[in-house]
Amino acid sequence: MAVDLSFYKSYLSEEIRDEGRAEGRAEGRADALLLILEQRGLHIPDDARRRITECHDTDTLRTWLSRAITSPTTEAIFGEE
C-alpha cells in the first residue's frame, strides 16, 4: 500500500513551511533584541516587551535590533514610528 505524499510537495505545503520559517526568524530576532536590551541594562516596559514579541515583521525587528546596540532607552529603538 503506497502512501500519497503529494501534499508535501504541493504549493500549499511550501507556503506553510515558508510561513513557519519566517515566524521562526521573527521570534529569533525578538529574542535577540530583548537579550541586547537586558544585557545593556535598559529597562524594558511591559508595553515595549509586548510590542517586540508580537511583531512578526522581520525587517522591522532587524531595524529595532540595529538601534538597540546604541539606543539610550528601550523606547528609542522604535524611532519615529
Side-chain angles (χ1 to χ4, degrees):
M1 179 172 167
V3 177
D4 180 10
L5 300 176
S6 61
F7 171 76
Y8 296 101
K9 296 179 181 181
S10 71
Y11 173 77
L12 180 59
S13 177
E14 275 297 315
E15 193 172 302
I16 291 169
R17 280 193 294 273
D18 289 346
E19 189 175 306
R21 287 184 200 112
E23 195 173 300
R25 281 190 300 274
E27 187 176 312
R29 286 188 179 169
D31 288 344
L33 175 52
L34 292 171
L35 179 62
I36 288 172
L37 295 171
E38 289 167 1
Q39 291 300 306
R40 292 195 55 226
L42 297 176
H43 172 68
I44 307 171
D46 290 341
D47 59 327
R49 182 177 299 275
R50 189 170 28 262
R51 186 171 178 186
I52 292 166
T53 58
E54 291 178 359
C55 181
H56 300 290
D57 183 322
T58 56
D59 291 334
T60 298
L61 287 163
R62 181 180 171 86
T63 298
W64 294 347
L65 191 55
S66 295
R67 291 176 184 166
I69 297 168
T70 58
S71 180
T73 65
T74 296
E75 292 81 1
I77 67 165
F78 301 119
E80 297 180 17
E81 298 171 357

